[in-house]
Amino acid sequence: MNFVFFVLLNAVMLIRPEELFPGAGLRLYLILISLCTMSSLPRLLEKFSSESLRNRPVTVCVLLYFASTIVSDCMHGRVTEALFEEGPEFAKVVLYYFLIISVVDTPGRFRTFVASLIVIIALLTAIALAKQFEIMEFPTIKPCKELYTDPNTGEEIIYTRMVSSGIFNDPNDLCQALSLGILSCIYCATTIPKGFTGCLPWLLPIPLFGYALLETHSRGGLLGVLAGLACYTFSRYGGPKSIPYVVAGSVAVLASMGGRQGDFSAGGTSHGRLMFWADGLKELFAQPLYIPTGLGSGWFTDEMGIVAHNSFVQAYVEQGLVGGGAFLAAFYLSARIAYGLGQSIDAPSWAIQARHYVFAIVIAYAVGCFSLTRNIVVPTYLTLGIASILLEAAAPTLPERFCVNRKWFGWAILFGVCGLLFIKYTTQTLGLIGV
């Protein structure tokens, strides 16, 4: 029964029916997460044991990042916010992550859950298109209008960038969901044992998701989808041998795109963001005592007026070396271990079959996070949670180098330092050459 509650929880949490039809006051999310938590409590508690955490490095990274947000705020005197406001809000998201790895614990449940995500994302897309083309009216959904100047003609164009409900009321966020939907369709279509007739229904939503992607006019979203498809191809069809084909295909798609979504010229928004990230990192290094713990949650908004529009930069600047390193390591380890299933890491056949899909969605989401601030929202931990389901299956045979011990923590610190220096100097270099 807990699995049914969890699927319903995802539908309510991602579609937000109470926002689409305000006034009902049903508190569906609170009811469902309470039912799901109570019905999964024994499994949830198991995940916090020392033996369980030893074989689950991604889960430890999630907990480290959660702890770093509280410590960072306390270091800056924001104890009340850390313990009674921001901390509890983030704790709800962390609870969701633990629910997904506790509830989706069999091959059948994994496949059914991925299929349910396709249905949910299709509903999100239908709602977005209905609003975009004024078929239905949803007062809480406000499409994003943006003025774009064509670099070739100088013509000014106003784009209405499509959005959907709830946490996807932003074109870039919607693209993250569409990317997950496209890759989920490919996974279901390629793993069903009934041939073309069986896989066809799973392929049908892909054109819908692709068309919706174009309506968002999101460059970061397009790059995320291309990265996901490229990584799926790389993992499934020959590894390094597939790189020339992946590169050629990506270049062809980008060359065929027009307008805002196909404009990756130097300068403009991208250059401004690079300089913005560089300023935040410069401020962190100007206060070396805060490098381990960061400048505190909300620093970008308080000091710069907006979020960083880069989840990894935001994590390093606001939560420091510990938090930024843990956040980056969660994605790295998810992708690294998933890619190794069936090669350097033993795992059940169903997990090996799903590794191409998981490797692709993690990289696609990480690429999207490079132009979005999505450190403490559910879709981030949905993606990491899907990866962790496969890692759970491989936990008994996880190589010692991935197991959490004193040596692992030493690696994590070194990884965090290298990640911070790489992001800092890469950002500065790209800014200096005018990207």
Side-chain angles (χ1 to χ4, degrees):
M1 195 63 188
N2 62 346
F3 181 68
V4 175
F5 290 145
F6 187 69
V7 171
L8 291 173
L9 172 66
N10 279 272
V12 167
M13 187 167 49
L14 298 178
I15 297 176
R16 303 290 179 92
E18 291 174 313
E19 291 184 16
L20 291 174
F21 307 102
L26 296 177
R27 307 292 298 273
L28 293 175
Y29 171 77
L30 181 61
I31 293 170
L32 287 168
I33 198 168
S34 299
L35 290 172
C36 195
T37 301
M38 288 187 292
S39 59
S40 309
L41 196 56
R43 289 281 292 161
L44 272 173
L45 295 176
E46 287 177 12
K47 303 303 178 187
F48 289 94
S49 69
S50 58
E51 183 58 32
S52 176
L53 292 174
R54 182 181 183 275
N55 295 317
R56 290 159 179 84
V58 174
T59 298
V60 172
C61 288
V62 170
L63 290 173
L64 281 173
Y65 183 61
F66 170 63
S68 74
T69 62
I70 296 175
V71 170
S72 181
D73 282 352
C74 289
M75 288 290 291
H76 292 274
R78 300 172 58 186
V79 178
T80 301
E81 292 90 336
L83 299 181
F84 301 104
E85 296 176 15
E86 295 170 359
E89 285 300 312
F90 193 5
K92 295 177 185 177
V93 178
V94 175
L95 172 61
Y96 172 84
Y97 169 83
F98 276 92
L99 281 173
I100 191 173
I101 63 176
S102 300
V103 174
V104 188
D105 57 355
T106 66
R109 285 189 172 189
F110 179 81
R111 184 177 176 81
T112 303
F113 179 65
V114 173
S116 74
L117 288 177
I118 296 173
V119 175
I120 292 169
I121 295 168
L123 287 172
L124 278 169
T125 305
I127 291 167
L129 289 169
K131 174 66 176 182
Q132 181 81 347
F133 294 102
E134 300 180 349
I135 299 171
M136 295 183 68
E137 180 59 34
F138 300 104
T140 56
I141 300 180
K142 302 182 185 299
C144 175
K145 294 187 181 294
E146 183 172 324
L147 180 65
Y148 169 74
T149 303
D150 191 304
N152 297 317
T153 65
E155 179 185 2
E156 291 187 340
I157 305 168
I158 297 178
Y159 283 113
T160 301
R161 303 178 63 193
M162 191 174 74
V163 300
S164 193
S165 60
I167 51 181
F168 300 106
N169 203 351
D170 178 277
N172 300 304
D173 282 313
L174 180 56
C175 277
Q176 296 280 60
L178 294 170
S179 175
L180 176 60
I182 290 169
L183 292 167
S184 296
C185 286
I186 294 173
Y187 165 72
C188 287
T190 54
T191 55
I192 196 165
K194 295 182 180 179
F196 181 75
T197 304
C199 76
L200 182 60
W202 298 113
L203 296 174
L204 292 177
I206 293 179
L208 175 70
F209 296 152
Y211 178 74
L213 175 71
L214 298 179
E215 286 295 314
T216 65
H217 300 286
S218 172
R219 288 171 290 207
L222 176 63
L223 287 177
V225 171
L226 290 177
L229 293 173
C231 287
Y232 184 89
T233 304
F234 177 86
S235 177
R236 189 177 181 91
Y237 301 107
K241 296 178 182 178
S242 66
I243 290 178
Y245 303 102
V246 166
V247 172
S250 299
V251 170
V253 170
L254 291 174
S256 67
M257 299 297 295
R260 182 190 189 278
Q261 204 163 24
D263 181 10
F264 289 89
S265 57
T269 304
S270 58
H271 181 74
R273 285 188 179 178
L274 279 168
M275 293 296 93
F276 188 65
W277 302 338
D279 288 342
L281 292 165
K282 180 180 178 182
E283 188 64 30
L284 176 65
F285 277 86
Q287 303 181 58
L289 289 177
Y290 288 121
I291 289 178
T293 58
L295 303 177
S297 299
W299 181 86
F300 268 105
T301 303
D302 295 340
E303 298 297 324
M304 305 286 200
I306 56 173
V307 294
H309 286 288
N310 184 314
S311 298
F312 303 105
V313 170
Q314 182 118 355
Y316 269 116
V317 172
E318 296 191 351
Q319 279 77 49
L321 189 61
V322 175
F327 188 77
L328 181 62
F331 282 93
Y332 169 78
L333 289 169
S334 294
R336 174 68 182 83
I337 297 174
Y339 183 74
L341 295 181
Q343 301 179 87
S344 58
I345 303 171
D346 292 331
S349 58
W350 72 269
I352 295 172
Q353 192 179 42
R355 72 182 179 93
H356 316 297
Y357 163 68
V358 170
F359 177 65
I361 65 169
V362 170
I363 298 298
Y365 197 87
V367 170
C369 281
F370 201 75
S371 58
L372 284 171
T373 295
R374 294 298 176 262
N375 302 68
I376 57 173
V377 296
V378 165
T380 300
Y381 298 89
L382 166 63
T383 303
L384 293 175
I386 292 174
S388 293
I389 296 168
L390 261 64
L391 308 191
E392 289 272 311
T397 59
L398 199 65
E400 186 65 24
R401 66 182 181 277
F402 293 119
C403 294
V404 179
N405 49 33
R406 184 177 298 178
K407 187 176 181 181
W408 183 89
F409 278 105
W411 169 86
I413 292 171
L414 179 62
F415 179 84
V417 171
C418 292
L420 176 58
L421 294 176
F422 177 79
I423 289 175
K424 174 178 169 57
Y425 290 112
T426 300
T427 300
Q428 289 180 339
T429 302
L430 291 174
L432 288 174
I433 64 178
V435 173

